[in-house]
Amino acid sequence: MKTIDSVLSEKTMFPPSGTFVEQAHLDQEGLRSLREEASADPDGFWLKQAQQLVWRTPPTQALDQSQHPFVRWFADGQLNITESCLDRHLTTHRRNKAALIWEGEPGDQRVITYFELHREVCRAAAALLRLGIKTGDRVIIYMPMVPELVFAVLACARIGATHSVIFGGFSAEAIRDRINDAGAIAVLTADGGYRRGKVVPLKHNVDEALKHCPGIRHVVVVSRTGQDITMHPGRDHFWNDLVKAESGHCEPAIVSAEHPLFILYTSGTTGKPKGVVHSTGGYATQVAFSTKYVFDLRDEDTYFCTADVGWVTGHSYIVYGPLIHGASVVMYEGAPDAPHKGRFWEIIDKWGVTIFYTAPTAIRAFMRWGDQFPRAYRLNTLRLLGTVGEPINPAAWIWYHEQIGRGRCPIVDTWWQTETGGMMVSPLPGATVAKPGSCTQPLPGIAVEVVHKDGTRCGPNEGGYLVVTRPWPGQLRTVWGDPDRYSKTYFGDIKVGGRPVYFTGDRARFDEDGYLWVMGRVDDVLNVAGHRIGTAEVESALVSHPHVAEAAVVGRPDELKGQAIVAFVTLRSGHSQTPETAALLKDQVVREIGAIARPDDIRFTDALPKTRSGKIMRRLLREIATTGKAVGDVTTLEDIAVLQRLSASDSDEE
Ligand code: ATP
Ligand code: MG
């Protein structure tokens, strides 16, 4: 019997093309020497990377871990991050270069140059100052994906106010909890936003939330949809009224590198969201470093990341990373299927996008919709593809490579978390030979290991706990208002060499070539007859069947085996949910992995429960598989109706 730890290796390897390698920042030789430099002198390495930023007082020290697990980076350095993102470009040819290329869902568009972005940010920052918002205050941003969202984020950074962006899909209750947890004094929002042709009542949601938020003194409202809203005199102001009074000048607040740039609540896949706190200098160093090397970013690139600024991916790789490098960033307001399922591909052709970054959940949706949508477009400007958010099933990787990259573009499968601030494990596109489904190797300067519970290192292909053994610049500094939760959640479990190390919450293995495979969340991993089976691997075996669009696998208590495997499966359009198909799928898993992983139950469903960032919420499926209904925290669930349908279909069977 094959054990799970040695299975599911998509055999094909994908080296970058000669043409890509020739122009890349890093080829194999370059990567080797960067790794050597980083391991010989990590502090010196990161101090050098920090020079990618504009500092008012350059740091002389890198890591300070005297208060571990509370760490500091570049602590004697001083800066304002917006000088790296904006001011520095104004004296170069980028002054008149497009910084933001924005498309609204209804088809409107705006192109904003670096000069204009700087001016808008300064006007907004000056307006916030005039309202009495100061360095260190917390400001909530709850907006649709419009340029003012980027202005708002950078305006807060300009004055040293700590921003906390709440994804525009969240409800009034979620806003209320985050405002109160962060102790915010102002909310920057919009009247509404467009989503699949419908209007989301953002201002109304804020009004509901604020019934229970005594600390909020100001609400600033961008007019996006023009819908009717109620303005509360004294508290509420229109964005345009405030900024039109301001000039395009606002002195940046110079802060210490350790100043909290933002608080961001995690997406809630595993439980109640945590207010992750990020620093300024360390965070910016890590995103600048990773943006440059992982995206192989060049001045002439046009870069499109489909994340929402409400998630960490949007913070690091729509706003801060690309702007630090003076890139042209494409930003799209709406849904990928609005008004048609080729919208992303249309945007890529229209603007000549060269780098495209999205999530596995989106890629699986594109696959489900069918190849005819991307095929209708040229996509010939693309040179690099990326993914983040979940393990990418090898079948989805191959589809992405063929249908979107047309076999020409390397794919960077980037593993990282809200807590890590920036990418941690990823291919370097000009140097790494990719294996579909593996995020490959830690970036230079990043110390990632897979260990047993007792901290000893796992052997090749042995599954274990994914940990980071050395602090990194983009590391979260604490959980807002709850340093204890920070220590316990991330440093309470695993010691390596007697010292607590950062535990990611993920289970993973390194293969015989030192490539990392993330197997799923530790809480999700199955234990079947004494074998630890990664959810990601069984799901990938299912998704490799041509009828399957998406699968989520969970365990249900079983007297004999410990856990029985229940697979929730969504089929591609045109395939029927029959017992024959279920039998075929069980065979598929046995063939790909072995009899030990054969699902006991296949349940067909038209959709899976997901967080609002698109990740599958297996903990809810586990409850449904076990008790018939989900009772855990559902505040971050995207579509509550999916759960009701799933629970209902269960009771039908019984
Ligand atoms: P919460 O912590 O509240 O449960 P979350 O973990 O979903 O929410 P994020 O920080 O957005 O919030 O997600 C990070 C997690 O996403 C990682 O721990 C990992 O499980 C998964 N992930 C991200 N990128 C990848 C990738 N390239 N390959 C595999 N897994 C990934
Ligand atoms: Mg997490």
Side-chain angles (χ1 to χ4, degrees):
M1 184 167 55
K2 291 197 280 180
T3 71
I4 196 74
D5 287 343
S6 61
V7 296
L8 213 95
S9 38
E10 174 58 47
K11 297 296 181 303
T12 335
M13 312 255 275
F14 293 82
S17 70
T19 350
F20 193 94
V21 176
E22 255 167 48
Q23 57 75 58
H25 286 311
L26 282 181
D27 58 9
Q28 286 192 348
E29 200 38 55
L31 175 59
R32 194 172 311 130
S33 68
L34 204 62
R35 281 197 200 290
E36 268 164 26
E37 191 190 319
S39 60
D41 175 14
D43 278 353
F45 171 80
W46 284 117
L47 273 172
K48 191 166 148 198
Q49 296 305 328
Q51 289 170 19
Q52 294 189 36
L53 308 178
V54 176
W55 295 87
R56 287 291 182 105
T57 311
T60 62
Q61 59 200 65
L63 171 63
D64 167 8
Q65 49 179 337
S66 52
Q67 311 289 320
H68 194 271
F70 298 92
V71 300
R72 308 194 306 162
W73 279 88
F74 314 122
D76 64 347
Q78 294 198 312
L79 74 167
N80 182 287
I81 193 172
T82 66
E83 292 197 299
S84 295
C85 298
L86 302 171
D87 303 65
R88 67 149 71 152
H89 303 306
L90 301 190
T91 52
T92 71
H93 66 278
R94 297 191 196 95
R95 182 182 181 88
N96 299 316
K97 176 181 175 178
L100 291 182
I101 297 170
W102 176 83
E103 272 212 20
E105 193 180 88
D108 43 345
Q109 68 180 54
R110 288 162 73 183
V111 177
I112 295 152
T113 64
Y114 273 92
F115 171 77
E116 292 169 320
L117 182 59
H118 176 266
R119 186 186 58 201
E120 294 310 316
V121 168
C122 285
R123 293 167 82 197
L128 296 181
L129 282 176
R130 206 177 290 272
L131 290 178
I133 298 167
K134 304 177 306 296
T135 303
D137 286 340
R138 273 82 58 210
V139 174
I140 297 291
I141 301 175
Y142 177 68
M143 280 200 199
M145 282 281 285
V146 292
E148 282 77 6
L149 168 54
V150 176
F151 306 164
V153 164
L154 293 171
C156 288
R158 187 84 174 172
I159 65 171
T162 299
H163 57 75
S164 186
V165 184
I166 302 175
F167 173 57
F170 276 123
S171 63
E173 295 74 50
I175 305 168
R176 176 197 65 202
D177 292 349
R178 286 162 177 74
I179 288 175
N180 289 331
D181 188 78
I185 65 162
V187 180
L188 312 182
T189 186
D191 48 2
Y194 295 107
R195 191 73 189 172
R196 287 206 173 84
K198 294 208 187 71
V199 168
V200 187
L202 298 173
K203 174 62 164 66
H204 173 78
N205 292 346
V206 169
D207 289 340
E208 287 299 304
L210 292 194
K211 290 179 180 160
H212 311 281
C213 301
I216 294 294
R217 300 207 287 267
H218 297 288
V219 178
V220 182
V221 185
V222 171
S223 301
R224 168 60 182 140
T225 57
Q227 73 208 83
D228 277 345
I229 52 171
T230 317
M231 294 293 278
H232 296 249
R235 187 194 76 182
D236 299 357
H237 322 265
F238 280 108
W239 174 284
N240 279 342
D241 293 345
L242 293 185
V243 302
K244 77 176 174 217
E246 304 296 341
S247 77
H249 182 82
C250 177
E251 272 304 305
I254 304 304
V255 297
S256 126
E258 279 299 311
H259 182 71
L261 177 64
F262 65 86
I263 303 169
L264 185 62
Y265 291 83
T266 59
S267 48
T269 312
T270 52
K272 185 177 178 289
K274 302 170 274 286
V276 166
V277 179
H278 278 291
S279 71
T280 305
Y283 167 80
T285 297
Q286 187 148 351
V287 301
F289 164 73
S290 51
T291 301
K292 174 172 173 182
Y293 290 114
V294 175
F295 290 134
D296 188 49
L297 195 69
R298 328 187 65 77
D299 220 356
E300 52 277 20
D301 277 316
T302 299
Y303 164 88
F304 179 19
C305 166
T306 69
D308 193 285
V309 173
W311 310 122
V312 72
T313 304
H315 284 61
S316 302
Y317 300 110
I318 292 179
V319 182
Y320 290 113
L323 295 181
I324 284 171
H325 290 292
S328 291
V329 180
V330 174
M331 179 175 176
Y332 169 57
E333 177 183 37
D337 54 351
H340 60 83
K341 294 189 168 77
R343 188 71 195 266
F344 283 176
W345 323 129
E346 183 181 73
I347 290 173
I348 289 172
D349 274 6
K350 175 171 168 191
W351 297 104
V353 170
T354 56
I355 304 173
F356 179 68
Y357 193 34
T358 193
T361 184
I363 297 168
R364 292 189 303 256
F366 306 148
M367 291 171 73
R368 187 167 67 237
W369 295 340
D371 301 353
Q372 67 275 24
F373 297 102
R375 254 193 223 139
Y377 297 87
R378 292 160 57 90
L379 305 183
N380 59 334
T381 52
L382 287 173
R383 66 180 195 94
L384 179 66
L385 304 175
T387 135
V388 61
E390 290 177 288
I392 179 163
N393 321 115
W397 196 104
I398 302 278
W399 184 91
Y400 195 29
H401 189 257
E402 285 173 1
Q403 298 298 325
I404 308 305
R406 307 279 156 93
R408 177 185 73 233
C409 307
I411 297 179
V412 288
D413 172 2
T414 61
W415 179 91
W416 58 293
Q417 309 179 298
T418 307
E419 294 89 339
T420 69
M423 298 162 180
M424 300 290 276
V425 183
S426 170
L428 277 315
T432 309
V433 178
K435 295 188 189 186
S438 166
C439 50
T440 76
Q441 286 162 322
L443 296 180
I446 300 296
V448 166
E449 285 187 36
V450 175
V451 298
H452 300 111
K453 186 93 202 188
D454 67 4
T456 54
R457 201 178 286 181
C458 293
N461 289 318
E462 200 184 344
Y465 298 84
L466 183 63
V467 297
V468 189
T469 54
R470 186 181 195 275
W472 64 101
Q475 178 173 331
L476 82 160
R477 297 301 193 259
T478 187
V479 171
W480 182 261
D482 199 349
D484 236 35
R485 190 166 178 209
Y486 166 78
S487 305
K488 288 203 185 97
T489 308
Y490 302 107
F491 297 91
D493 272 349
I494 298 168
K495 291 193 172 115
V496 171
R499 272 195 43 176
V501 291
Y502 175 87
F503 174 41
T504 63
D506 287 351
R507 195 174 167 83
R509 65 185 165 89
F510 276 109
D511 71 11
E512 61 285 355
D513 300 323
Y515 277 46
L516 187 70
W517 297 77
V518 175
M519 298 159 73
R521 317 293 178 123
V522 165
D523 302 342
D524 290 339
V525 165
L526 313 164
N527 194 339
V528 181
H531 297 266
R532 290 209 161 274
I533 301 182
T535 48
E537 303 187 283
V538 185
E539 289 160 8
S540 285
L542 289 163
V543 174
S544 71
H545 192 282
H547 293 188
V548 176
E550 193 152 51
V553 165
V554 298
R556 155 164 52 79
D558 182 274
E559 275 184 17
L560 272 177
K561 299 195 282 186
Q563 279 187 321
I565 300 180
V566 182
F568 293 84
V569 172
T570 308
L571 296 177
R572 291 214 207 186
S573 50
H575 298 286
S576 53
Q577 311 181 349
T578 60
E580 291 72 34
T581 311
L584 274 179
L585 295 182
K586 289 181 186 177
D587 289 348
Q588 171 88 2
V589 175
V590 173
R591 210 166 34 246
E592 293 270 322
I593 303 181
I596 183 71
R598 173 197 286 277
D600 296 84
D601 231 343
I602 302 257
R603 297 198 188 168
F604 293 109
T605 168
D606 62 334
L608 294 167
K610 292 185 181 173
T611 62
R612 285 159 218 246
S613 57
K615 297 176 190 220
I616 299 169
M617 288 173 94
R618 291 180 194 74
R619 67 182 162 86
L620 299 180
L621 290 171
R622 205 157 50 227
E623 291 174 7
I624 289 173
T626 309
T627 66
K629 61 173 184 287
V631 292
D633 184 272
V634 293
T635 51
T636 61
L637 183 70
E638 197 229 342
D639 176 9
I640 194 88
V642 170
L643 267 196
Q644 285 149 359
R645 288 204 298 278
L646 277 166
S647 317
S649 74
D650 289 348
S651 38
D652 287 351
E653 274 170 31
E654 278 154 16

